[in-house]
Amino acid sequence: MHSQLYGAGLMAVALFATSVHAASPQTGDILAAGPDLPKLQRLAAMGDPGAELQLGLLCMGGKGEPKDEAKAIDWFRKAAAQDYDKAEYMLGMIYSFSLDTSHDYPQAADWFHKAAIQGNMSAAATLGALYEEGRGVPQSDAIAMAWYKEAADRGLREGEYALAIDYYAGKGPEAERMQMIPLLQKAADQDLAAAEDVLGEFYLTGTRVPKDESKAVALMRKAIAHGYLSSQCRLANYYLQSPATADQVAQAHQWLEEGAAKGGMGSAECLNTEAWILATAADPVRRDSVKAIQYATEALAICPTDSGCLDTMAAAYAAAGQYDQAVVEQQKAIAALSPGPKKEERRKQEMQARLDLYRAHKPYVDPTS
């Protein structure tokens, strides 16, 4: 079976946007019973930052209120003027990740920093992600990892996960990289789906841990239960390439179809896997080059520089007899491989063999798909 996409693009740490609760006991009581707008407005008029925060959250699309992000920003700014870390964090999130407000990464970094130094570890971890990608701040793996570590040391699961992924990438002092698996386990024990997914993949492949397929499947099923689409695609792929029951194979195809239909970043693996099967299946009845090109194109729109997506695109073109395009995409796939690791060298050899096929005007058939 075709190698799957792998890696946790660290800006995905922003997906943790954990729920924000007001610190004020009065406001907490209101929320427990449902939003009481008159009471929230009275408290806000008295300068209660928790009430101001909650009014902002309601404007973000809360119960009974139409979405008005500009108004939400006004409320968050009022609370942030009182050094309220949760409001500062929300402003950072809006300026980093909102679909409605123009991104302003320098301003987002400022708000995250203000919240982080007050002990808001969600802000600390997200600030680390900005440093890792150089968004609004100078790129610095060292500063990013310092913020991740602070969040991890305080038990924030997203900080534990981000730090573990950096250790896996070979970043940080070698002596500290031994903490990668314990950090992933801590995050998974706190039901972080991304950590469950990665740890499950490690147990499936025997990466840094003894191979244990039952543990792997259990972890990935937990991630699926938590709505993590990537695990759904990975486990489907596992069932299709290993001895599996008829029910498991049927479940795998259902997962892939559901994942491909959802679209968006999380669907890339499902789209890619479905496209690969449709393009290269050993059983001609299962092949459909038109759909393969459609799915591969959608996957490539999400991961335009990923070697796996490019490899699949090439196979889809070859299945349709469009060999010139297949050659171009396969050359891109080979160029996108990371230099050095033995695994990547094996992939390069496999891709080169497929490139030779396409140049000879022959499609690739995967005996395992």
Side-chain angles (χ1 to χ4, degrees), residues 114-143:
K114 288 176 181 178
I117 61 177
Q118 294 184 72
N120 188 309
M121 292 299 100
S122 293
T126 317
L127 181 60
L130 294 185
Y131 271 104
E132 182 144 23
E133 296 203 350
R135 294 177 184 264
V137 290
Q139 197 285 329
S140 172
D141 288 340
I143 296 176

Side-chain angles (χ1 to χ4, degrees), residues 267-268 271-272 274-276 289-304 309-310 312-314 316-317 322 329:
S267 71
L271 288 163
N272 200 52
E274 271 287 87
W276 183 260
S289 61
V290 174
K291 280 189 177 179
I293 290 175
Q294 175 192 335
Y295 285 149
T297 300
E298 291 177 24
L300 200 57
I302 298 168
C303 51
C309 287
L310 290 162
T312 299
M313 188 78 253
Y317 278 134
Q322 300 177 36
E329 296 302 321

Side-chain angles (χ1 to χ4, degrees), residues 5 21 83 111 142 152 198 209 224 243 261 285 303 307 368:
L5 302 173
H21 300 288
D83 296 324
W111 287 119
V198 172
V209 290
I224 292 169
V285 175
C303 51
S307 59
T368 68

Side-chain angles (χ1 to χ4, degrees), residues 11-87:
M11 279 305 286
V13 78
L15 296 176
F16 67 73
T18 47
S19 58
V20 182
H21 300 288
S24 161
Q26 291 174 291
T27 310
D29 292 341
I30 294 169
L31 290 178
D36 182 335
L37 286 177
K39 193 168 184 179
L40 280 175
Q41 288 164 348
R42 286 197 301 274
L43 287 170
M46 296 165 59
D48 182 317
E52 292 166 341
L53 174 74
Q54 293 305 327
L55 287 171
L57 291 172
L58 289 174
C59 291
M60 293 290 290
K63 296 178 181 178
E65 286 289 299
K67 186 172 182 179
D68 187 339
E69 197 161 279
K71 196 172 178 181
I73 290 172
D74 288 341
W75 281 118
F76 293 148
R77 282 185 175 277
K78 287 179 180 178
Q82 300 182 64
D83 296 324
Y84 194 43
D85 65 285
K86 294 179 177 65

Side-chain angles (χ1 to χ4, degrees), residues 252-263:
H253 284 296
Q254 181 182 338
W255 276 340
L256 289 174
E257 289 172 7
E258 289 175 353
K262 285 180 180 177

Side-chain angles (χ1 to χ4, degrees), residues 185-199:
Q185 188 64 62
K186 285 180 182 179
D189 289 344
Q190 295 181 70
D191 295 330
L192 184 66
E196 293 164 347
D197 175 64
V198 172
L199 196 55

